[in-house]
Amino acid sequence: MHNEEKILVNVTPNETRVAWVENGVLQEVWVERANKRGLVGNIYMGKVDRVLPGMQAAFINIGLERAAFLHVSDVCHQALGCEDEQCEDIAKLLHPGQKIMVQVVKDPLGSKGARITMQVTIPSRMLVYMPIEKTLGVSQKIDSSEERERLREVVKQIPEFESSEGGFIVRTVAEGVDFHEMRADMMYLQRLWGDIQEKTRASRKPTIIYEDLPLYLRILRDVPMDQIEKIRVDSTETLKKMQGFVEMYVPECLNRLGLYQGERPIFDLYNIEEEIQTALHKRVNLKSGGYLIIDQTEAMTTIDVNTGAFVGHKNLEETIYRTNLEATQAIARQLRLRNLGGIIILDFIDMEDKQHQQHVLSALEKELAKDRVKTSISSISSLGLVEMTRKRTRESLERTLCEPCPVCSGRGSVKTAETVAYEIFREITRMARSFDALQYRVIAAESVVSQIMDEESSSVAELEAFLNKSIRFQAESSYAAEQYDVVMM
């Protein structure tokens, strides 16, 4: 192996964390909490709540807090027994109260409910089963066309494939496997689908039919094991479950799996804890002295590249070019580490040289090719911007570990003491016009009261004279910067 790649699994009763380390550097991290397990891959028996012809979509009750969103493009005509497969009118396909089987493709994000599809797929180690569509595909990530064709022929020779109503996609990890391994995987998927159908027939209300594997097993299923040299787990119980899974599906990897018994916590290795904390900050420093500023919003993520302290050795254009080149590696890594998805705008430093622009774009494409998540990028615009998308199925690391600041409500800034002081004066004036009080008491943060008593004392005197009322101020250490109360006495 050219690169030393490891998977480290940290397990506590309420949380599982998995880190992918390459050459001693953290590349990806996944977090799953017992009370907030991701829903992607889960299959539900749902009931149509509302059909919205204007949006060509429907809201489906699947037993969660918020109704799930189903677009007409994700409706399965075969599952509905619809003969007109060209029909794209949601009102003709679905109606309120109708029961349908659906699968979550995107977790609830922010205020949005889960995104679902009727095109159900069930993944195993080497195959993805599509029970409703009779087809056969092979992952394009397998570089060799000869190997893709060999795998296609292997699947066609399996008796269960011929008798199957559904179809299969051969996954990247199946490269090099033989007939018997592939058949075992196929038989497992077909048994699982039979169980799902049985549960579906027995269900009378919106409920979960099939739950995807927990994080520590999904990693074994989805990560290409040929790239991983070691997998270390700090929980004996979890290790046993992972060993059982590996013995069944990837026995050749059993010797790579082991218990971590070091004195230091497993995530202290390779500074993983520190890297996670850094990934929650906006600023990412580059080795050259330049830096990135990463801003994540509901609509999109922006990444700004800056030269910072890097002045280069030749000229400004060369400095900009070197900074942008270095930034491509950092950007690709941060996208994976932070699990950023959706629309992403990259603001590279403006380059005059067209050849430099092309080199930077090529370097970015090369780095993004290492990402297991699907990405697509545009060319550099006249403003030095690159628009890209990265498939988003789960919440980002920040949204998983953090919540909006209760002081600034997620704005990232708070009002100055001066601004709050003037708001208090306006509030007192407003109250004086509506109510008759003997005097007013203002309770506010210490910084605000200090601002009023020191810098705004003359304003207070003028306001008291204007209202012919006295105003008293009380500093409260527990009050946030923007928090205050005006009490009539």
Side-chain angles (χ1 to χ4, degrees), residues 216-231:
Y216 58 85
L217 295 183
R218 284 204 312 273
I219 291 298
L220 295 173
R221 183 190 69 191
D222 297 338
V223 169
M225 283 295 115
D226 59 319
Q227 297 179 20
I228 306 301
E229 186 179 1
K230 292 180 182 177
I231 304 169

Side-chain angles (χ1 to χ4, degrees), residues 212-270:
D212 201 7
L213 297 173
L215 175 60
Y216 58 85
L217 295 183
R218 284 204 312 273
I219 291 298
L220 295 173
R221 183 190 69 191
D222 297 338
V223 169
M225 283 295 115
D226 59 319
Q227 297 179 20
I228 306 301
E229 186 179 1
K230 292 180 182 177
I231 304 169
R232 292 293 176 262
V233 191
D234 63 1
S235 162
T236 305
E237 185 180 343
T238 302
L239 176 63
K240 289 178 181 176
K241 293 177 182 177
M242 294 176 75
Q243 286 172 331
F245 185 90
V246 168
E247 283 176 356
M248 184 175 292
Y249 295 107
V250 269
E252 68 276 10
C253 297
L254 194 58
N255 62 338
R256 302 179 198 174
L257 198 57
L259 182 67
Y260 174 76
Q261 295 176 303
E263 292 183 6
R264 299 167 60 197
I266 192 168
F267 266 34
D268 280 3
L269 302 178
Y270 311 109

